[in-house]
Amino acid sequence: MLRKLKYIIPAVLLMTSCKKQLDINTNPYAPTAVTEAHLLTGIERGLGNATSQNGLSYALEVYTHRITVREAPNGYGLTGNDISWGDFYVTVLTNTDFLIAEGTKNGNLQYAGIGEIIKAYAYSLLVDVYGDVPYSEVNKLVSDKITNPKFDKGSEIYPQLITLLNKGIADLNASASNVKKPGVDDLIYGGSIAKWEKAANSIKLKLLLQQRKIKNVTADVNALIATNKLISTTAESFLLPHGPNGATDDRNAGFSEYYASQRTKNVSPWFYEILKGYNPKIYTGITDPRVPYYIYNQLRTASTTTPNPSEYRDGRFLSIYFGSTGPNAGQSQQNYMSLSGIYPVGGRYDDGQGGTATAASGTGAAPDRFITYADVLFMQAELINTGVITGNARTTFQAAVNEAFKQVDYVITTYVKPTTQTVPALVGASATNAYITAVMAQFDAKPAQQLEQILTQKWISSFGFAVDAYTDNRRTGFPVMFDPSNTEQAPGGRVQPPVSGNPSQPVQPSVPVQATKKFPLTLPWPQDELNSNSNAPAQKVDPSTYKPFWLP
């Protein structure tokens, strides 16, 4: 909590190494120093936790209609009592300030530069999701006796983040002693200064893109692209690796559904139907070959019946609707519901065999994907399509889609490394080639829908990390999301699952749906922060009207 920052010593400071000989004159619980290496590892893990499906992406996967739940995010029902800033402000931002200070003091400017880049990225996500947030007065207790940091305007924070990213790049490349350099302690890039510089520039590209509706960013974007120092290969993607369960549990947060005693995260029917080609407005009749990589179906056959009645069945796929008020939304489907698969969370590739998911079903080693090479290409395609920069939008879009498929194979072979099944490659497969050909034909045939297609493919690609998908939808209106109040999507307040999709019912009935609140343009602030910080504003009365600064 922000108020508690007055009393918090960074968590890493509380860590100490065991010694064979204990000096009784030294208090092992009050270390006098902490290395940059220990700080960096903890910061990177904290960034992953803060944005994961146990953090921001939990609610935002629901709000971007790739996951459905029965809990608070359903129906846009999240309140300030459901939100915490601890992972961001304590684990990440308090410790990045300390890392920057220590790295600067000790002449280890590569560490300081990485800290500055992570700090800028973390604050950019907070601004994007919440709007105004504490920035300029955070962690100023010792220096300025500030105990209640004010909330700064997002429009005032963003330019400072660009400056901070530039400072980070300068520190990465500065002539300094750098007696200690990042290596294995840098979980993201293993100490590669060149990759960190490309990540920083790619973050800048994202920040500029997100402001394109309120300012002319053409010159800045062109200058950035001219440096030729953006993420430009799959292996340069800005992501945080996870490992299988070992001495410590470092598995992807989303994989916890595989061994949860009560599973809660269903794959959204809206997302599923777009992947399957069922949506009547986009990619109709085109089946995405990534489906078995994205979704694991526990049901063994399409004719398997379940003990409890289900709400949405399409053969082996089982889920619930967003905003459902139907009688079967609350039925337990613990061992029958469809789960996120091998690509987004390191779960299981769906080979058609099904079976109850367990901790042994996968390694859980899927990385957190902050900004991938595919994302950079999708961003450039959007910038060309909207006239911000010149170029060939079609060529760039196709390169982005190709890269999105390559990325799936890369994540599985490089990080997930399944041990109990052989997973076929996507790239080069006939189904993949046919899909991409069909997607590009749609791009050519529907010029008015091209921006929507760019954003929809980006949304499909980013499944598992939802922050930017939420931002993209608010910026552009794309991809089109499920809306229970939309009379085309839910005529009469009801939505129809596949009529013959449930073997227990000759005709699968329609389901009543409603959203308890309007789609929020920002999330509520954490109520605990508002209660404990005398400089905090009043809670947002209606988040659906509280725009981030980059929306005109």
Side-chain angles (χ1 to χ4, degrees):
M1 308 305 174
L2 287 179
R3 186 73 177 269
K4 292 180 180 177
L5 290 179
K6 297 183 293 184
Y7 311 111
I8 287 174
I9 298 174
V12 180
L13 288 177
L14 303 179
M15 300 168 58
T16 185
S17 301
C18 297
K19 296 181 180 180
K20 293 182 179 179
Q21 300 293 328
L22 180 63
D23 184 346
I24 61 173
N25 295 315
T26 301
N27 181 354
Y29 300 105
T32 58
V34 61
T35 67
E36 290 95 333
H38 280 97
L39 284 164
L40 179 58
T41 301
I43 288 166
E44 291 179 342
R45 290 196 189 283
L47 181 63
N49 290 336
T51 57
S52 74
Q53 289 193 38
N54 285 344
L56 271 182
S57 286
Y58 166 61
L60 297 185
E61 281 290 353
V62 179
Y63 285 13
T64 55
H65 296 273
R66 297 185 296 204
I67 293 291
T68 53
V69 298
R70 293 187 289 265
E71 291 74 34
N74 186 36
Y76 305 126
L78 203 70
T79 71
N81 293 321
D82 303 310
I83 296 171
S84 171
W85 275 347
D87 279 334
F88 271 105
Y89 275 100
V90 179
T91 309
V92 179
L93 295 171
T94 298
N95 283 324
T96 52
D97 279 347
F98 195 70
L99 175 62
I100 294 164
E102 286 295 292
T104 302
K105 181 184 70 175
N106 297 330
N108 298 321
L109 292 187
Q110 291 181 359
Y111 278 107
I114 293 173
E116 286 154 344
I117 293 166
I118 293 176
K119 178 179 178 178
Y121 177 66
Y123 269 116
S124 75
L125 299 183
L126 288 169
V127 171
D128 292 342
V129 172
Y130 295 102
D132 300 345
V133 296
Y135 177 75
S136 62
E137 295 182 348
V138 170
N139 296 329
K140 295 294 179 67
L141 172 66
V142 175
S143 61
D144 299 305
K145 310 301 183 200
I146 295 175
T147 59
N148 295 289
K150 68 177 182 179
F151 280 51
D152 296 283
K153 292 184 180 300
S155 59
E156 296 173 355
I157 296 173
Y158 246 50
Q160 297 178 70
L161 301 183
I162 297 289
T163 300
L164 188 58
L165 287 165
N166 290 334
K167 177 68 161 53
I169 292 171
D171 281 343
L172 289 177
N173 296 294
S175 297
S177 59
N178 286 313
V179 174
K180 295 179 181 178
K181 296 182 179 181
V184 294
D185 53 304
D186 174 13
L187 304 177
I188 294 175
Y189 283 132
S192 172
I193 299 308
K195 288 181 180 179
W196 270 112
E197 182 171 357
K198 289 190 172 188
N201 283 323
S202 300
I203 296 167
K204 285 197 284 184
L205 180 69
K206 185 169 82 79
L207 300 189
L208 291 170
L209 169 71
Q210 290 171 185
Q211 298 176 82
R212 69 172 177 82
K213 288 193 171 183
I214 61 164
K215 61 184 289 190
N216 187 334
V217 298
T218 298
D220 288 336
V221 171
N222 281 327
L224 195 55
I225 293 173
T227 67
N228 200 29
K229 289 186 178 181
L230 295 170
I231 291 170
S232 56
T233 69
T234 315
E236 291 172 352
S237 295
F238 182 33
L239 51 79
L240 177 72
H242 287 283
N245 195 18
T248 59
D249 188 352
D250 183 35
R251 292 172 292 188
N252 185 291
F255 183 72
S256 62
E257 283 289 284
Y258 276 71
Y259 53 88
S261 58
Q262 184 174 347
R263 297 186 174 110
T264 62
K265 298 171 185 174
N266 301 264
V267 177
S268 167
W270 183 257
F271 185 52
Y272 170 78
E273 291 193 351
I274 288 178
L275 294 176
K276 291 289 287 184
Y278 297 169
N279 190 289
K281 299 290 188 180
I282 191 166
Y283 300 137
T284 309
I286 305 174
T287 301
D288 195 320
R290 288 171 288 191
V291 170
Y293 301 79
Y294 278 34
I295 303 168
Y296 175 65
N297 299 306
Q298 296 187 89
L299 287 168
R300 290 190 179 276
T301 69
S303 60
T304 301
T305 58
T306 58
N308 297 323
S310 59
E311 176 166 285
Y312 185 103
R313 277 285 299 272
D314 185 36
R316 295 177 55 237
F317 180 81
L318 189 152
S319 187
I320 59 174
Y321 280 110
F322 175 87
S324 171
T325 58
N328 297 326
Q331 296 283 353
S332 174
Q333 304 291 353
Q334 173 75 0
N335 297 329
Y336 310 101
M337 60 187 279
S338 297
L339 306 175
S340 298
I342 190 169
Y343 173 62
V345 304
R348 193 162 184 81
Y349 168 75
D350 194 283
D351 55 11
Q353 301 302 307
T356 301
T358 69
S361 297
T363 64
D368 294 318
R369 291 169 280 117
F370 304 131
I371 302 177
T372 66
Y373 177 37
D375 292 329
V376 171
L377 290 169
F378 282 123
M379 285 191 277
Q380 290 177 308
E382 178 187 339
L383 288 164
I384 297 169
N385 175 265
T386 55
V388 176
I389 59 174
T390 60
N392 189 314
R394 186 189 195 279
T395 300
T396 307
F397 175 56
Q398 184 166 0
V401 176
N402 288 336
E403 176 59 26
F405 276 84
K406 182 180 178 182
Q407 180 178 285
V408 174
D409 288 343
Y410 175 75
V411 163
I412 293 170
T413 58
T414 306
Y415 297 100
V416 179
K417 299 178 180 178
T419 58
T420 61
Q421 60 179 169
T422 300
V423 179
L426 273 169
V427 174
S430 58
T432 299
N433 295 337
Y435 175 81
I436 295 174
T437 298
V439 165
M440 296 313 301
Q442 289 286 298
F443 190 81
D444 294 337
K446 300 180 179 181
Q449 197 189 48
Q450 288 179 353
L451 182 60
E452 180 181 355
Q453 292 192 42
I454 292 168
L455 272 298
T456 300
Q457 285 294 331
K458 186 181 179 187
W459 171 72
I460 293 171
S461 175
S462 68
F463 181 37
F465 179 76
V467 182
D468 288 348
Y470 177 55
T471 293
D472 287 341
N473 179 260
R474 290 174 294 154
R475 289 191 305 108
T476 68
F478 301 125
V480 174
M481 300 297 186
F482 177 61
D483 179 3
S485 65
N486 184 302
T487 56
E488 282 191 78
Q489 296 177 11
R494 302 185 74 90
V495 62
Q496 179 64 57
V499 173
S500 58
N502 191 334
S504 301
Q505 298 169 308
V507 176
Q508 192 166 203
S510 63
V511 177
V513 291
Q514 67 177 38
T516 55
K517 297 180 181 179
K518 295 180 181 179
F519 179 78
L521 293 179
T522 54
L523 295 189
W525 290 301
Q527 194 59 47
D528 282 347
E529 309 299 344
L530 306 188
N531 294 342
S532 60
N533 183 348
S534 61
N535 285 324
Q539 184 60 273
K540 301 167 187 174
V541 175
D542 182 2
S544 73
T545 64
Y546 194 99
K547 297 192 299 185
F549 83 95
W550 36 253
L551 275 183

